[in-house]
Amino acid sequence: MSTATAEPSPAKQENSNENGNQPEQQNEDAIVEQHHPHHYGGGGGGGHGQGQGFQGGRRGGGNRFSGGGGFRRQPMNANENERNDFFGGGGGGGRKRGGRGGGNLMQGGERGPRDRNPDDRLNDRVAQMSGPTFDLAPLDTAEKKFSGRARLYIGNIATESTEEEIHDLFKNYGETNELFVNKEKNFGFIKMDFNVNAEKAKRELDGSLFKGRMLKIRFAPNGSSVKVRNLPPFVSNELLYFAFSAFGEIERCIVIVDDRGKPTGEGLVEYVRKGSATLAIRKCSDDCFFLTASLRPVIVELYDAVDEADGCPEKTMPKKNMEYTKAREIGPRFANPNSFEHEYGMRWKQLHELFAQKELALKKELDMEKEKLEAQMEYARYEHETEMLREELRAREMGRDRQKREWEMKERQAEETRQRTEEQMRRQQEEMQTRMLLQEEELRRRQQENNLFMQAHQLDDMLDQQEQAYEQPERGIFNANMNAEQGGNATMTILSY
């Protein structure tokens, strides 16, 4: 039998090991790795020889002459490594000197357009969820393998125990995974495949001897669980799962209800990784996270599980403690009236009654404040919507005024264009009429010139005939007289012109 020394609780032991080799402990990089695996890795610089070049290309996904690539893609040739699907920027390289390597989200390297911090990616995921949430798909209620609900705490482990021996001890109850042992403080944690197997292992191994020491088996506190309070109405398990899946992978998610099935305004979300729970608490504490159209932000805090199955058995009592001996000297009894025990017992009862009264009054006051805030919220929503409608109406009026001004401007421009067109057409008509008059005058002048030319030609013919008549006097007397008369008329016509 081991000595009855007080051991720290599983929760305290787990918290004392947060910086150790605990598999469940996750840091900020684990959050990034969860949502975006393969985001690590900047390209390594190239090297001269095969050694440097191989290492540089191996880290970045390139070859020995150049640094690896950035975003995810398949290898294009034999020189590219199969792990070139990293997210970091690639580093160039050469034979003499390695290039500048890229970086991941938390380390060095120049930040490219795709290299953003986790909060930006989280905001993008939440922005994609902000649409309507009607008809969400039902959740798969089957228990997941190696979940946090099947994780056991092992206390009072012998120092000489090995991990193989502990695995062999638990393998009779199912598959095991993620064994952690702290030999300095003689405790450890192990995950079983399912909760029912963990229950069986706890029931049969708790209090059993192993390496000469009595084991203490309990369910380990789940540090990756969060409690969600101030849930608005109409939030179901599916909506809660859909909303909080933005922070990481979820094992189990429920909205807590009372004995009538009415939601109590609280919920429970169990994540696979502790970093996801930390991220959810941090973001919901820093910002206001809404699940529905209601303006009631959810309050997220770490869930402190309560052991309601085993309680505190007698074997865990520190029986060698003097206070234990003093308390157990007297058993259960009723106090005698007007006795010393009765007086101070009544004082304790009055103190509890006072606490209950103040708690009830505080609860009523809180309910009144909630109703008041709800009314103020609805009034503010109405005022906000009214102001938005007014803004929209003003914007429409401004748009109509602007459109009216544009139409008036277009009408003025059309009128000016029409006037310019008419003026241009009038000028064109005047120019056309002027050209027609000039053409007519030119035509008359040419006709007159033609007439004069014809008359001159006729006169020339008459002169030729006169010459011929002089040459033939016998026949030319009469003709000469006639020609003389015609010639005289023609001469008068020419002179008159």
Side-chain angles (χ1 to χ4, degrees):
M1 291 289 292
S2 61
T3 58
T5 57
E7 285 195 1
S9 65
K12 292 182 179 179
Q13 288 179 341
E14 185 177 24
N15 293 333
S16 67
N17 259 308
E18 286 185 352
N19 296 324
N21 297 324
Q22 175 61 20
E24 291 293 321
Q25 182 64 27
Q26 302 290 335
N27 53 17
E28 198 72 23
D29 292 340
I31 304 171
V32 178
E33 178 66 17
Q34 171 189 352
H35 297 293
H36 299 275
H38 312 303
H39 278 198
Y40 287 77
H48 181 281
Q50 185 172 358
Q52 286 182 340
F54 178 77
Q55 292 176 0
R58 183 75 172 173
R59 292 181 183 179
N63 51 37
R64 61 176 183 158
F65 296 104
S66 62
F71 42 86
R72 182 178 306 170
R73 59 185 178 89
Q74 296 295 329
M76 301 299 294
N77 50 51
N79 289 331
E80 292 184 345
N81 188 267
E82 62 182 357
R83 295 197 52 160
N84 60 357
D85 54 349
F86 291 164
F87 197 82
R95 296 183 59 85
K96 300 255 176 153
R97 170 173 166 186
R100 185 174 182 182
N104 57 17
L105 296 177
M106 303 295 174
Q107 300 174 358
E110 294 182 355
R111 297 171 66 88
R114 292 174 177 247
D115 192 6
R116 301 185 301 167
N117 56 46
D119 288 347
D120 292 339
R121 292 194 298 273
L122 175 62
N123 293 333
D124 291 342
R125 289 192 296 272
V126 174
Q128 295 175 359
M129 298 178 177
S130 60
T133 55
F134 305 112
D135 301 329
L136 295 175
L139 293 180
D140 184 10
T141 57
E143 182 182 0
K144 294 183 179 180
K145 199 172 184 180
F146 300 114
S147 65
R149 304 183 67 204
R151 185 165 174 258
L152 295 175
Y153 160 79
I154 312 171
N156 202 23
I157 301 175
T159 307
E160 64 273 11
S161 300
T162 62
E163 294 185 0
E164 290 76 11
E165 292 174 343
I166 297 177
H167 271 297
D168 294 338
L169 179 65
F170 283 87
K171 72 179 183 180
N172 297 327
Y173 303 97
E175 299 181 27
T176 59
N177 192 13
E178 296 186 13
L179 173 63
F180 167 76
V181 178
N182 189 331
K183 293 186 178 181
E184 296 179 357
K185 298 185 179 180
N186 305 107
F187 74 94
F189 295 94
I190 191 172
K191 269 189 178 182
M192 303 298 294
D193 49 0
F194 297 105
N195 181 264
V196 61
N197 294 334
E199 286 275 4
K200 183 177 179 182
K202 171 184 170 300
R203 184 172 58 253
E204 296 185 5
L205 294 179
D206 186 27
S208 63
L209 289 176
F210 181 70
K211 295 285 185 177
R213 305 188 69 169
M214 183 180 296
L215 295 178
K216 296 181 179 180
I217 311 296
R218 301 178 70 90
F219 277 101
N222 191 356
S224 60
S225 299
V226 296
K227 189 173 184 179
V228 185
R229 297 187 294 108
N230 200 34
L231 288 176
F234 310 109
V235 175
S236 61
N237 297 338
E238 288 77 7
L239 179 56
L240 188 64
Y241 181 93
F242 176 72
F244 279 84
S245 61
F247 303 101
E249 185 180 357
I250 297 177
E251 287 184 349
R252 180 169 169 263
C253 181
I254 58 169
V255 174
I256 302 175
V257 297
D258 57 13
D259 53 353
R260 298 183 179 181
K262 183 179 179 181
T264 60
E266 297 181 350
L268 180 63
V269 181
E270 298 178 1
Y271 286 100
V272 175
R273 293 176 175 83
K274 189 173 182 179
S276 302
T278 305
L279 179 62
I281 295 173
R282 178 175 64 84
K283 290 296 294 182
C284 294
S285 299
D286 295 342
D287 301 329
C288 293
F289 188 43
F290 304 105
L291 302 189
T292 63
S294 174
L295 298 182
R296 294 175 57 178
V298 294
I299 308 299
V300 182
E301 56 191 18
L302 192 63
Y303 176 65
D304 295 328
V306 180
D307 188 0
E308 299 178 351
D310 297 329
C312 184
E314 181 69 20
K315 60 184 178 181
T316 62
M317 291 286 101
K319 297 183 179 181
K320 293 186 178 182
N321 194 326
M322 295 299 295
E323 296 291 335
Y324 170 82
T325 305
K326 183 179 178 180
R328 290 293 186 97
E329 286 179 352
I330 303 177
R333 64 199 181 280
F334 282 106
N336 296 323
N338 301 324
S339 64
F340 172 80
E341 294 179 344
H342 183 269
E343 179 183 356
Y344 279 89
M346 292 303 296
R347 288 186 180 182
W348 275 107
K349 293 180 68 176
Q350 291 173 1
L351 182 62
H352 280 278
E353 289 178 359
L354 179 63
F355 174 79
Q357 292 175 1
K358 290 187 175 181
E359 185 180 18
L360 181 60
L362 181 62
K363 185 177 180 180
K364 290 182 178 179
E365 183 180 357
L366 182 61
D367 291 339
M368 292 176 62
E369 290 294 331
K370 285 183 178 179
E371 293 178 358
K372 181 179 178 181
L373 184 59
E374 289 282 350
Q376 292 177 353
M377 183 179 66
E378 292 299 327
Y379 179 75
R381 184 196 297 275
Y382 172 77
E383 289 293 329
H384 176 70
E385 292 177 353
T386 305
E387 185 63 26
M388 292 295 292
L389 291 176
R390 290 173 181 170
E391 289 290 339
E392 184 179 357
L393 181 59
R394 283 194 291 267
R396 289 184 178 180
E397 291 177 352
M398 292 176 61
R400 284 197 297 268
D401 293 341
R402 184 174 59 254
Q403 190 175 11
K404 182 179 180 181
R405 289 192 299 269
E406 291 177 356
W407 286 346
E408 291 177 352
M409 185 180 298
K410 289 181 179 179
E411 288 180 357
R412 287 195 300 268
Q413 292 176 354
E415 182 66 22
E416 293 175 358
T417 304
R418 184 182 62 80
Q419 292 177 358
R420 286 196 300 269
T421 304
E422 290 179 354
E423 182 67 21
Q424 185 177 4
M425 291 179 63
R426 185 180 62 78
R427 291 177 182 178
Q428 290 178 355
Q429 288 178 358
E430 291 178 354
E431 292 176 357
M432 186 179 295
Q433 291 177 359
T434 304
R435 287 197 301 269
M436 290 177 64
L437 293 174
L438 294 175
Q439 289 177 0
E440 289 178 358
E441 291 178 358
E442 182 69 19
L443 180 60
R444 284 196 300 268
R445 187 182 62 80
R446 289 183 180 180
Q447 288 178 354
Q448 290 176 359
E449 289 179 354
N450 291 334
N451 292 333
L452 292 174
F453 177 77
M454 292 299 297
Q455 290 177 3
H457 183 67
Q458 291 178 1
L459 182 59
D460 189 41
D461 290 340
M462 290 172 62
L463 293 175
D464 290 339
Q465 291 177 3
Q466 286 179 359
E467 290 178 357
Q468 291 176 4
Y470 286 123
E471 292 176 357
Q472 297 178 0
E474 295 179 355
R475 295 183 302 174
I477 296 173
F478 178 78
N479 291 332
N481 294 329
M482 294 297 292
N483 289 332
E485 292 178 0
Q486 292 180 357
N489 294 332
T491 302
M492 293 299 292
T493 303
I494 291 172
L495 293 175
S496 66
Y497 177 72

